[in-house]
Amino acid sequence: MAVVDVDSGNSSYYGEQKLYYLDAEGTSVAVSLSKNGPVYSVEWSPSSTEFCAIFGFMPAKAALFNTKCETILDFGEGSRNMISFSPFGNMLVLAGFGNLKGNVEFWDIGKKQLISKFLAPDTTFLQWCPDGEHIVTATTAPRLRVSNGYRIWHYTGSLLHEVMTPTETELWQVMWLPVPEGRFEQKEISYKAVKSIATATPQEKAAVYRPPGAKGRPSPVKLHDEVKLTKQQMPAVQDPEKVKRSLSKKLDQIEKLKEQRAAGKVLEKNQVAKIETEEALRKELEELEL
């Protein structure tokens, strides 16, 4: 469960986002996230014993947790905002769509290794095939009304099939044909790329939408791949002094919790978890003060 609370540290206009784990017995634990910022996506594995979260200001961090809310796999940082487990739970897709460039990563959960990485720009839809080996990515209306079409990929990063709609034709939906449960069996993951078509069909640079009355005039709007943030446009959280104040406040809270524990008070699980983040917080504060 992700929640948004008032950011008393004044480091974000949108408030402070947190992630909580709840079970059927009523236990509630705050998941300790190693980077401040929004929680973009959270997904359970089909195994029901693990969940993945993408969090923190861009480039966002991604991590796999067990039901004790312990990090069992850190995927590092990247331009991501979407998670999708394979039907068998042995692989995981981390992707960055919307205002991101379209990075797609396939991970081997068992070996904790990256299998492949590629770009699928302007993707608005991604879905695993029931066979657990392929995905389909698509650019559909009404989210995007230009360059509509779909592509089928193998988990090794190979592009196998591509269909682009004719100019001025819109694609509204793509989905895999449902199959009976048990139709496919889990196969061993291979790191050898399968045969791929040479390249995706070259696409003209996507045009910025203009209302009829503005056609023929130069547009001041740039697409996401043309935008370069200036220092003034960076999120307020990047201000070192504000980050320092936020970190110092969290460390003060940890000191109070340690004093309470020393006095014999029994702390809750989320309070113990907060104390365990002390070393990481101090290290981050030291780096800012250099």
Side-chain angles (χ1 to χ4, degrees), residues 14 51 73 85 116 120 155 163 165 171 208 240 244 256 264 283:
Y14 298 100
F51 63 92
L73 176 55
F85 281 94
S116 65
Y155 65 80
V163 174
T165 59
L171 176 67
V208 177
K244 286 181 186 179
K256 291 179 182 179
K283 184 177 179 181

Side-chain angles (χ1 to χ4, degrees), residues 248-284:
S248 297
K249 183 175 181 180
K250 291 180 179 180
L251 289 171
D252 289 341
Q253 294 172 345
I254 289 174
E255 287 300 323
K256 291 179 182 179
L257 289 173
K258 289 167 65 177
E259 292 174 1
Q260 293 174 5
R261 183 171 63 179
K265 181 179 178 180
V266 179
L267 302 182
E268 297 180 1
K269 290 183 179 181
N270 61 323
Q271 293 176 317
V272 174
K274 190 170 187 177
I275 292 176
E276 293 174 352
T277 65
E278 180 181 9
E279 183 177 351
L281 293 174
R282 291 193 182 281
K283 184 177 179 181
E284 186 176 352

